[in-house]
Amino acid sequence: MSRGNAREEDQGTLAVRREHPWGIARDRKGWVFIMLLFALAFVGGALTILSPCILPVLPFVFARSDQPFWKNGLPLLLGMAATFTLVASLASYGGAWVVQTNQYGRDAALIALGVFALSLLSPRLSEWISRPFVRLGNRLAPSTTGSGVLQSFMLGVATGLLWAPCAGPILGLVLTGAALNGASVNTTLLLLSYALGAALSLGLALLAGNRVFQTLKRSLGFEERFRRILGVAILVGIAMIYLGLDRGLLTKLSDQRTTEFEQRLLDRVQVPTRAVAANVPKYAAPLADEGPAPDFLGTESWLNSPPLTLATLRGKVILVDFWTYSCINCLRALPYVRAWDEKYRSRGLVVIGVHTPEFPFEKDPANVQRAVTELGITYPVALDNQYLIWRAFHNQYWPAHYFIDANGRLRHEHFGEGNYDESEHVIQELLQERDGRSAKSDEIVRVDAKGVEAPADNADIQTEETYLGSARAQNFSSPERMNTHASQSYTTPSQLSLNEWGLTGRWTASDDLVSLDTAPGAITFRYHARDMHVVLGPPSSGKPVRFQVRIDGHAPGIEAGVDTDPNGFGTVREQRLYQIIRQKFPVRDRTVEIRFLDSGVKAYSFTFG
């Protein structure tokens, strides 16, 4: 399971890569990549002027094109860049409450800019509105005629609150890194680079536009008419923003050439990582020494154990398992990790599960404790909510296994599912080194996993993990454009192609989930895989949500998953992964509808196996 949703197989190993810009070694190559990423963010911002997503803010930018650029256009653009950077950074760091605050900011900005647009239509109103700004400007800068500078900067602040750029590949990479790592100076600087790139392209357009405007003014006396045209344009822009067209229709109509150009730029820059899925380290005796292993310092809390460190574990062989409880790839690897713990604990193996969350609900210690209990995990589990251990290992995968010898040295790693025999041989060799015995391999464990833990049918998976939140939604096919942070009615697509999905009913889309506002509502998905899973949660009140599943219009019967009965009924009682379908052979393209009979359900992602 990963944000990047990049699945790669290597000799039976299914590794899922979560790409982000920070999982890099602190070496020269890593710093070169950071510099390239800043440059790409700047270029990505500059390219927004080619996208229709910039159209709603253009009237605000050109509203002062008849005035000196350094006192009017430049402060406006700086205010816009600073506000976008601040709000985007807070949204990345602070979570949903900041998003809601930004919604209030957008509403306030719409009102302020509406008044500004009316002032362009009426010179008398313009003079009346400008009086408090003039007084404030004179107080702040009495030695200058800077009231216009202040007004322009405040207009830029309001515009920055309204600006919702299309989330192309470059901005998506920046925001993914921000979501992964939390508060970071790098995140803010990258967002600032993006905003400054946009400000530069807008500034160049403004300078060119100013020259054109001055020519028209001299030749045609166009000033008053132009002010009124801009006033009307701003009111139209406000209406577009209020109706969500700045992120809906404009994005839908956007010329894909800009996005493709951004993607080509990203494709030329490879993220330096510890390893990639196509080059998963192979077991080879003797095992290499990869240096001192990172410690487990700074972890918020532990389950099944007091806090552990490498010093307290000296003399033990350690298996570090990065996992999160709603990740299907982690759940399918879990039976082997439990079996290794049971078999080798008495011989000196310590398994440490590092629970690093993907979704916000996975940060709740109570949720993790319940999952640990239900999954039969008895070894120590570190709650890595701040990604401290994740970053210390430069990890990029769920699941990921790191093998540490009795001297605290990192000796081997394995990413993703599969190759369990190989991993167990690594454990055996490290234990034999510890005990000074010859490398004689024991019999390996045999696992008969059931339910969601059963091995995936990789040969029949033609549908990738699919996120439902607006930040990463792919293949969404309802006729209505997904509107972020606003309640909206959606209709079932008349026809779905493979891997497409849609909503039915009234839903609110957030960055990482969709929630049902009023029942009934449904999610319909056309997929190809043996197993279908969906990550669901009840409303904040905790009230259970009933649902009913139909596959190709019928009750699933013997193809029901572990969380549905043969008639397709199930109940969402907790935030976790639910298995709703397990096809019988032969596996083929199917259309599944999940109809929710109660409101409030939260749906995060689909995974397949």
Side-chain angles (χ1 to χ4, degrees), residues 7 11 52 60 91 125 153 170 221 243 259 325 351 362 414 423 429 469 472 478 486 529 532 541 569 582 591 595:
R7 296 174 176 266
Q11 295 186 4
F60 314 140
L125 179 61
F153 184 81
I170 292 176
L243 296 173
T259 299
Y325 79 83
V351 176
E362 293 173 314
H414 180 271
S423 294
E429 181 173 341
R472 293 176 286 167
S478 286
M532 171 182 273
S541 64
F569 288 100
R582 169 158 285 175
T591 299
R595 178 165 291 273

Side-chain angles (χ1 to χ4, degrees), residues 568-581:
F569 288 100
T571 304
V572 179
R573 302 183 185 276
E574 56 204 18
Q575 294 167 313
R576 63 176 176 86
L577 180 142
Y578 292 76
Q579 185 186 85
I580 60 172
I581 294 292

Side-chain angles (χ1 to χ4, degrees), residues 457 459-463 496-499 525-532 550-559 581-592 608-609:
D457 177 23
D460 267 321
I461 298 178
Q462 296 182 21
T463 304
L496 288 173
S497 298
L498 182 63
N499 302 331
F525 203 124
R526 181 78 171 170
Y527 80 106
H528 186 110
R530 185 193 65 193
D531 300 339
M532 171 182 273
R550 288 288 181 266
I551 182 167
D552 294 334
H554 304 287
I558 61 172
E559 295 187 311
I581 294 292
R582 169 158 285 175
Q583 284 196 56
K584 301 302 179 182
F585 293 103
V587 174
R588 63 186 188 279
D589 295 357
R590 310 294 292 272
T591 299
V592 168
F608 304 90

Side-chain angles (χ1 to χ4, degrees), residues 24-65:
I24 62 175
R26 296 178 180 176
D27 54 16
R28 181 178 178 183
K29 185 177 291 187
W31 289 116
V32 168
F33 173 76
I34 286 291
M35 294 301 102
L36 287 174
L37 191 58
F38 279 116
L40 283 173
F42 185 84
V43 171
L47 289 173
T48 58
I49 198 170
L50 303 177
S51 168
C53 294
I54 203 69
L55 291 179
V57 304
L58 286 180
F60 314 140
V61 174
F62 281 97
R64 291 176 175 265
S65 63

Side-chain angles (χ1 to χ4, degrees), residues 5-275:
N5 196 30
R7 296 174 176 266
E8 301 182 49
E9 294 184 45
D10 181 53
Q11 295 186 4
T13 300
L14 179 62
V16 182
R17 177 177 181 176
R18 176 179 186 168
E19 298 204 21
H20 59 88
W22 317 120
I24 62 175
R26 296 178 180 176
D27 54 16
R28 181 178 178 183
K29 185 177 291 187
W31 289 116
V32 168
F33 173 76
I34 286 291
M35 294 301 102
L36 287 174
L37 191 58
F38 279 116
L40 283 173
F42 185 84
V43 171
L47 289 173
T48 58
I49 198 170
L50 303 177
S51 168
C53 294
I54 203 69
L55 291 179
V57 304
L58 286 180
F60 314 140
V61 174
F62 281 97
R64 291 176 175 265
S65 63
D66 62 331
Q67 301 182 32
F69 175 78
W70 299 108
K71 292 184 178 181
N72 293 275
L74 181 60
L76 183 149
L77 295 173
L78 291 178
M80 176 181 167
T83 305
F84 168 75
T85 302
L86 176 63
V87 171
S89 298
L90 290 176
S92 298
Y93 306 156
W97 70 273
V98 177
V99 173
Q100 187 63 37
T101 301
N102 186 32
Q103 288 301 111
Y104 297 141
R106 285 172 63 88
D107 293 341
L110 286 173
I111 295 173
L113 287 170
V115 174
F116 176 78
L118 293 175
S119 74
L120 292 175
L121 296 174
S122 169
R124 182 176 298 179
L125 179 61
S126 176
E127 181 182 356
W128 180 77
I129 292 173
S130 67
R131 289 174 185 172
F133 288 95
V134 172
R135 288 195 295 268
L136 178 60
N138 289 333
R139 288 183 181 180
L140 294 177
S143 62
T144 70
T145 58
S147 61
V149 173
L150 180 61
Q151 285 181 326
S152 295
F153 184 81
M154 295 304 297
L155 177 61
V157 169
T159 306
L161 283 169
L162 293 172
W163 183 37
C166 297
I170 292 176
L171 182 59
L173 180 62
V174 174
L175 296 178
T176 297
L180 176 65
N181 291 274
S184 166
V185 173
N186 279 342
T187 296
T188 299
L189 291 177
L190 279 167
L191 289 168
L192 180 60
S193 296
Y194 188 92
L196 290 177
L200 174 64
S201 58
L202 286 171
L204 294 174
L206 183 57
L207 285 171
N210 187 38
R211 293 189 179 94
V212 172
F213 174 71
Q214 292 297 335
T215 300
L216 290 172
K217 178 181 176 182
R218 287 192 299 268
S219 61
L220 301 175
F222 195 60
E223 179 179 7
E224 189 61 32
R225 189 185 308 171
F226 189 68
R227 283 170 55 89
R228 292 178 178 176
I229 291 174
L230 286 174
V232 173
I234 291 176
L235 290 175
V236 172
I238 291 171
M240 293 172 67
I241 293 170
Y242 180 78
L243 296 173
L245 296 179
D246 60 320
R247 291 172 297 184
L249 177 61
L250 291 178
T251 303
K252 192 170 184 178
L253 297 177
S254 178
D255 188 345
Q256 295 300 312
R257 288 176 294 179
T258 302
T259 299
E260 293 170 0
F261 178 69
E262 288 188 44
Q263 189 61 57
R264 287 197 297 271
L265 286 175
L266 285 178
D267 291 341
R268 292 180 178 272
V269 181
Q270 298 299 321
V271 181
T273 62
R274 178 182 296 276

Side-chain angles (χ1 to χ4, degrees), residues 472-552:
R472 293 176 286 167
Q474 293 181 334
N475 301 325
F476 178 66
S477 298
S478 286
E480 301 79 11
R481 187 70 181 177
M482 184 175 287
N483 194 4
T484 307
H485 308 302
S487 179
Q488 180 169 317
S489 293
Y490 298 91
T491 53
T492 306
S494 57
Q495 184 175 357
L496 288 173
S497 298
L498 182 63
N499 302 331
E500 290 184 342
W501 63 281
L503 298 172
T504 307
R506 193 162 195 87
W507 297 77
T508 295
S510 302
D511 288 343
D512 58 357
L513 62 91
V514 292
S515 58
L516 180 61
D517 299 326
T518 56
I523 305 175
T524 307
F525 203 124
R526 181 78 171 170
Y527 80 106
H528 186 110
R530 185 193 65 193
D531 300 339
M532 171 182 273
H533 315 91
V534 58
V535 178
L536 300 170
S540 301
S541 64
K543 180 181 178 181
V545 175
R546 298 166 299 156
F547 65 85
Q548 186 177 20
V549 175
R550 288 288 181 266
I551 182 167
D552 294 334

Side-chain angles (χ1 to χ4, degrees), residues 323 325-335 375 452-453 577:
W323 73 298
Y325 79 83
S326 73
C327 165
I328 185 59
N329 311 93
C330 303
L331 295 176
R332 290 196 289 249
L334 189 59
L375 293 170
V452 296
E453 296 181 352
L577 180 142

